[in-house]
Structure formats: structure tokens, C-alpha cells
Amino acid sequence: MERPSSVGTGKLVASAVIPLVILGAMIAFLLWPGNSFLNFGTPLPDVTVERLEFGEKLIIAHIRNTGPETVDIAMADVNDRIRPAAIEPSKTLERYGAARVVIPYDWNEGQPYEIGITTSDGTRFAGSVQAATMTPRPDAGQVSLLALLGTYVGIIPVMIGLLWLPFLRQLSQGKYMFFMSLTAGLLLFLGIDAVVEANEVSAETVAGSLGGVVLIATVTVVSFLALLYVSERLVERKSKTAIVGASSVALMIAVGIGLHNLGEGLAIGGAMVAGEVALSTFLIVGFTLHNTTEGLAIVAPVARQKPRIAFLALLGFIAGAPAIAGAWIGGFIASPIASVVFLAIGAGAVFQVVYAIFKFAGGKEKFLSGPVVAGIATGMLLMYLTTLLI
Amino acid sequence: MLNAKLLLAAVVAVAVFGTIFAASSLGPRAQAQNEEKLVQGHALESYTTTGDVLDPEHQDNRINTEEIDPDRYLREFNYGRVSTLPDGTTLREFTIIADDSQTLEVSPGIFYNAWTFNGTIPGPTIRATEGDLVRINFINNGSKSHTMHFHSIHEAHMDGVFEVIAPGGRFTYEFTAEPYGLFLYHCHVQPIEEHIAHGLYGVYIIDPKEGRPPADEMLMLMNGYDTDFDTENNFYTVNGIPFYYMHHPIQIENGRLVRVYLVNILEFDPINNFHLHGNVYDVYRTGTGLTVDESTDMITMSQGERSILEFSYNYPGLYMFHAHKTEFAEKGWTGTFLVME
């Protein structure tokens, strides 16, 4: 938009800056040392135990000061019994500062443990695991084990799903639309599932002050819009032929699913660390079944074309491989915040894919035809049923 | 063309994740610069750190030790300002000031709003002989109402229950010390649980006229602190500081009679107990008799109960004593005797 020529640059800058100056002056007034104008109530400390690790005769708690002010940590306990401990780098935690509390302790495999942290005002904060198990170290063995798990839940099932291509190719237009919509239903379910999962993680381990729910909403929307923008540009820049259009949609689906599988990898790696070993096995079987349907989602748009095998394999890799990265992050370094953010990115990505599928399909048919409605419903129901296995 | 772009995207993705991975695994280690310190666990496990050590069991790095000093409290008996009345009765006068504004370090690094008699937890030990006249000049310097309620025999209006002393108020408690035994005093303003839990208590000993056999006498008052106000104690102590006698063993002589005046003022938990290692002790329940009630290594007391314990050691060395409610022991109610040759 053209600005009126009568307004000079100086005036423009001034008009932008003046409100900021006034705002700054007001904040300075409120925060001025000695200003007791707004000093009512006692700021309560808040410490979050973000992650527990179990080492050779050691328990390690990763904690974060999620309260409004600097806190001093005075004491650690195991199952509510005071224990000698070390805190690194310092017992003083600035706002949002983090520390490692290391407790020498001869813990028992498979037993539940609660680790308590007491601040200088005598308030205790705790985190727990259901069953202690040695935390995997990022050595070659663990790295390859998690990579293998990621391959099982990510790459292989997606590749299996791709094998439905010849089947899809022989379908009539109505049936094809059914399967396209089925794919959309599957993905819609995955997106909702990711948002719910992110909320769960946020409620359990992310401090209230970090605003888990609004963080999820923000990241999901931004992820959706960013991927939408990129995919539209990608489709625009290519020629308008149907072949490339379909390939682009398939690519965007693969990218979206890949981001989603990153979240699944995080869940699997995280479950291993949290000592939910039995759960982890179920997770893996469940995700494997679940993810086979994702392969279907990728090949559906290109079923009418003759894509090269290498291109299909690449799509499968893009969709499946992030599960490996996710398993590494979840297993070795993830903080709950990272999990929430990745899950939300995955959710946004999947919703974008749903949108892309509808847009792709919408070009050919009336939007809410019978096969489309049946497809979405079947897709969501199918996903729900595979979820019962996890 | 498309595949080239995809490869580029894949490379960028790998680079981004790799960077995140590397940055996260560096973490707090990069900031460590202090000297290394050893943290000793309870069994053989240990850990060497460059950070800070949190260990109330083996370290006493409290800031203020004047207000809560278990070493001084252990053997400090206050007999008051002594004078003789015309009829020959001994008068013992004490001045006790209540306060509720202090913040004391009740365990290394843990600060708690203590309510105190004469500025300390526990309050000063008041000791008299059977038949003495005891006069307490009580001043309430706090911001809340307080009283002093003494156990033992006295007139109704000296009971410190219905005569609530307002902030800034004074009251003179006066009574004859009877019968002999081990008693306590505490604030009796409601909610009583709150006034006691915050620290308004102390020990009141009445000696028999003929006295007790000479001994190394000491006081052990068992209390607790509910620092997060959830009606469960976070700390249990004897004489005010968790684990204090673990790093400051009580020195006693081999073969010499030791007399422990044991008082339980614990709130919230219905019982407390005292277990002595490597020995048995004679119990004089409430100290109101001169014959032994039982010999044991384990006495359990309800809230407000007291007993006098007598024992001597046959072998030198380090002996533990603790609550055999082991939860309390592991939250601070543990100490040691060092028996010297």
C-alpha cells in the first residue's frame, strides 16, 4: 500500500515509536526499585521436575525454576526421605533456570520412585517414574537400537502402505475418492490425536507458567500456515499439469506425516526413558499398524499417475525417517517442552495435509459427495481401532 | 529437479536436528568451574560434583545458629533469678517473651517463620525444685495472641488457657512447683496445633527435694517442622535441627551415668519414639517416681508425653540414637553418642 506523500519518514518512525516510549515509561515506573505500588501478595515459588534419569547407583533429576522469582534449592529426597545430593551447576536457579540434581542412590530396577526437591522456604516439589530402569546412554548400541525402533515404526510400515499403489490404480473414480477421503480421515484423526497427546504431556510435566495449552495452539497454527504457504508456492512454481500437482501433494503429505512421525518417535524414546518398558512394546506394535495407513495416504494422490519407484521410496523415507530422529531426541535429550512443541508441529503439519488433500480432490468432484463422507468416517474409525492397540 | 530440492531439504533437516542434539547434550556441564566435592550416599555409593552439595545429614552450614543451637540447648538448664521469701520458700523468677515474627534457618538452607519463647526453638528450659515458688513474667511481643500453659499442678487462673494475652500484653504466672517430674509448657491459643507447630514450647523440670543421683544430665526435645503447611511434617528433629547430632556427636564418658530428659512435642504425627543403639536404658515415666518403670531400648510416646531415661555405656565408640519410626529418622530425627574412654 502506498503511503500518502505528505507524511515524512521521520513522522512515520515517530508515530511508531511514541507508543513504545510511553509503554516503556510506564513499565519502568512499575518496576522502579522501591516502588511498592503493586506489591501485594507473596510470589509463590514453583519448581518443575522435568525428567528423571537412572544411572549406576545414581538418580538424576532435571529441574527447572518455573516460578516468578529466583529460588534456592535446599534439599533433595527420594520417596520423601531426605538424601545427600549434588546440584549442578548451582543451587541458585534464576527464573526458568535449570539444574541437575544428582542423588547417589542404590535404586531397584522396576520400582516406582518419587524425587522431591525442597526450596529454601520449605516447599517441596516432586516428580516420579512408575518403574525405574537404567536410562539409555547415547552410545553406539543405544543409538542403533533406537534407530532400529524408528525404522520399525516409521520407515517399514510406511513402505508397506505404499504397496497399495497398484490396488488404488485400478479403482473407479468414486472408489478412488473414497480412498482419498479415507486418507484425509486418517490424518485428521492423527492431528487430533497429536493435540490431545501434547495436552497430556503439558498437563503432566510442563509448568503452568509456560502456558502449555496456548503454546500448543500457537505452534499448531504456525506450523499449519507455514507448511500451507510452502506447499502452495511449491505447487504454483511447478507447471500446472496434473502430474506435478499430484506429486507435490504427495510430497507435502509425506513431509506432514514425517513431522508427525517425529512426534511418534519422541513418544517411543520417552517411554523407554520413563521405564514404561511394556508400554513401549505395545507402542511399537501399535504405531507399526497405525503407520501402515500413512503409506496409503501418500500414494493415494499419485495413484492416477505412474510415479517412479525411486520417487515413491523417497516419499516413504521422508515420511518414515523422522521417527528415528524422534526416538533419539525422546530417548536421550527430550524435555517435555520439546515434546509438546514437536507434537504440535506434527499436528499442524497433518492438518495442512488434510487441507491439501481436500483441495486436490475438490478440483474434480463436488466436495461432500457420498464417497468422501464415507471415506472420512471410515478413516477416523479405522484409526481409532488401531489406537486401541497402543 | 524436484529430487535435488528434496535432498537439500533433507540435508537441512538433518543439520538442524544434529545441532539441536549437540547443543542439548552440552547443557549445564559447560558452566561448571568450581572445585570438586564429594557427595556420600547412605551405602557405598557416592558422587563427585563441581556444583553445590545439598546434604543436611553430613553438613551444617546454617547462617544463624544462635536461635537454634542444639549443642547449647542440650545441657542448658535455667534456674531463674533466685531469692528467698520470708517463710523460707525459694522464689525463682523468669522472664519469657513471646514473638512470632522471626524467620529461622531450621535446616541448612530452609527458612521458616518460627514463633518463639525468648527467641529460640525450643524455648528456654525452666527448672525448679519441688516446693519452690515459680514466677514467670510473660510478655507477648508478637503480633498474635499467645499464652503460656504449664503442665503440672496449679490454680485454674494460672493455666494459661482462658486468660489470652493480646499482642503487647503481659501476664505473671505464679505457682508452686509440684509434683516433681518432667513437664512441658506451650502456648495454648487456638489453633493450638498451629501455635505449637510454629515453635511455642519448652521444657519444665521439677526436681525432687532429695534430688536425683549425680549424672551427666541432658535434654532431648523431639519436634518437627511442617514447612509447607500441609499438616505433615517435612522435618523431624531432636533439639531443633534435623540430623544435628550426626555431624556433632554428643560426647559422653564411658561408664558414667547419663540422664536424658526426653520430651515429645511433635505435632501432626500421633506418636514418636526413641531407640538407643548398643544399650538399654531405665525408664521413669513422666519422671514422677523414683523407681524404674521398665528397662528397654525402645520407648514410644504420644503427643506431649515425657520420660526420664538413665543409662551408661560399657564400651567406647560411636552409637546411634533415632526414632524407630524410621520415616522420622530419615527426615532428621537421628543422632549419635560418642562414648569416650
Side-chain angles (χ1 to χ4, degrees), chain A residues 73-75 80-91 100 104-105 118-122 237 251 308 314, chain B residues 3 5-6 17 31 39-40 42 45 47 49 51-56 109-111 227-228 235 327 330-331:
Chain A
I73 306 299
M75 199 169 75
D80 203 22
R81 304 292 182 268
I82 298 168
R83 302 293 308 197
I87 181 163
E88 299 164 347
S90 164
K91 65 180 178 173
R100 261 162 51 101
Y105 197 92
T118 302
T119 53
S120 60
D121 71 340
R237 281 236 311 270
L251 172 63
R308 285 187 319 212
L314 183 66
Chain B
N3 284 359
K5 289 226 178 240
L6 285 174
F17 285 122
Q31 304 163 23
V39 180
Q40 185 66 53
H42 286 168
E45 67 276 357
Y47 179 75
T49 184
D52 291 321
V53 176
L54 309 173
D55 188 0
I110 307 276
F111 295 85
T227 57
D228 54 3
F235 299 93
E327 176 198 354
E330 293 195 76
K331 288 175 166 177

Side-chain angles (χ1 to χ4, degrees), chain A residues 8-349:
Chain A
T9 312
K11 274 194 176 172
L12 181 73
V13 170
S15 64
V17 166
I18 285 169
L20 290 178
V21 169
I22 296 171
L23 183 66
M26 186 189 148
I27 289 170
F29 168 71
L30 291 177
L31 296 178
W32 202 259
N35 184 355
S36 57
F37 181 52
L38 290 181
N39 279 352
F40 41 80
T42 312
L44 294 176
D46 188 29
V47 174
T48 306
V49 179
E50 291 192 332
R51 178 179 164 98
L52 296 177
E53 288 179 13
F54 292 82
E56 190 62 45
K57 293 192 195 301
L58 287 179
I59 300 177
I60 299 162
H62 293 261
I63 64 171
R64 189 177 297 280
N65 172 14
T66 43
E69 296 193 333
T70 300
V71 295
D72 281 317
I73 306 299
M75 199 169 75
D77 67 74
V78 176
N79 294 339
D80 203 22
R81 304 292 182 268
I82 298 168
R83 302 293 308 197
I87 181 163
E88 299 164 347
S90 164
K91 65 180 178 173
T92 303
L93 270 68
E94 303 289 332
R95 190 173 188 210
Y96 292 127
R100 261 162 51 101
V101 177
V102 185
I103 308 170
Y105 197 92
D106 196 359
W107 52 275
N108 301 320
E109 181 84 26
Q111 242 174 250
Y113 284 96
E114 182 184 82
I115 306 302
I117 302 295
T118 302
T119 53
S120 60
D121 71 340
T123 313
R124 179 175 179 268
F125 302 91
S128 59
V129 293
Q130 290 167 3
T133 188
M134 191 67 91
T135 304
R137 297 276 122 212
D139 56 18
Q142 284 295 340
V143 167
S144 44
L145 175 65
L146 285 171
L148 192 66
L149 286 179
T151 308
Y152 272 124
V153 303
I155 298 175
I156 295 176
V158 172
M159 295 290 188
I160 293 172
L162 294 176
L163 297 176
W164 268 307
L165 179 64
F167 165 74
L168 287 176
R169 192 171 283 163
Q170 289 158 30
L171 294 175
S172 68
Q173 182 66 15
K175 287 188 182 118
Y176 175 66
M177 281 312 292
F178 169 80
F179 277 100
M180 279 295 286
S181 309
L182 179 97
T183 308
L186 302 176
L187 293 167
L188 197 57
F189 187 95
L190 286 184
I192 294 166
D193 191 42
V195 170
V196 171
E197 170 79 20
N199 266 313
E200 266 172 30
V201 173
S202 146
E204 276 167 24
T205 44
V206 177
S209 71
L210 295 173
V213 174
V214 283
L215 177 70
I216 293 163
T218 307
V219 174
T220 305
V221 170
V222 169
S223 153
F224 175 82
L225 289 176
L227 285 165
L228 187 64
Y229 180 75
V230 170
S231 72
E232 305 258 290
R233 290 298 297 269
L234 197 64
V235 177
E236 258 173 40
R237 281 236 311 270
K238 299 292 147 197
S239 66
K240 305 284 185 202
T241 66
I243 298 169
V244 177
S247 299
S248 297
V249 170
L251 172 63
M252 287 318 295
I253 291 177
V255 169
I257 289 175
L259 285 170
H260 173 77
N261 280 342
L262 185 72
E264 289 191 349
L266 279 173
I268 291 165
M272 271 190 69
V273 174
E276 295 155 4
V277 187
L279 176 64
S280 192
T281 312
F282 267 110
L283 268 183
I284 291 157
V285 175
F287 280 135
T288 305
L289 286 172
H290 199 74
N291 292 358
T292 308
T293 57
E294 294 172 356
L296 181 68
I298 294 166
V299 288
V302 289
R304 286 283 184 264
Q305 282 82 46
K306 283 198 162 63
R308 285 187 319 212
I309 299 295
F311 178 59
L312 277 182
L314 183 66
L315 291 182
F317 187 77
I318 290 171
I324 298 173
W328 284 338
I329 298 170
F332 300 136
I333 56 167
S335 70
I337 300 266
S339 296
V340 166
V341 168
F342 282 122
L343 283 167
I345 291 174

Side-chain angles (χ1 to χ4, degrees), chain B residues 31-47:
Chain B
Q31 304 163 23
Q33 58 212 344
N34 302 338
E35 70 202 79
E36 301 213 324
K37 293 157 227 129
L38 184 75
V39 180
Q40 185 66 53
H42 286 168
L44 293 173
E45 67 276 357
S46 66
Y47 179 75

Side-chain angles (χ1 to χ4, degrees), chain B residues 90-123:
Chain B
T90 302
L91 170 67
R92 297 183 187 276
E93 284 190 89
F94 300 84
T95 301
I96 305 283
I97 301 168
D99 189 16
D100 48 37
S101 65
Q102 283 168 290
T103 299
L104 301 184
E105 195 172 7
V106 294
S107 180
I110 307 276
F111 295 85
Y112 178 68
N113 170 215
W115 301 0
T116 57
F117 287 126
N118 283 5
T120 65
I121 291 184

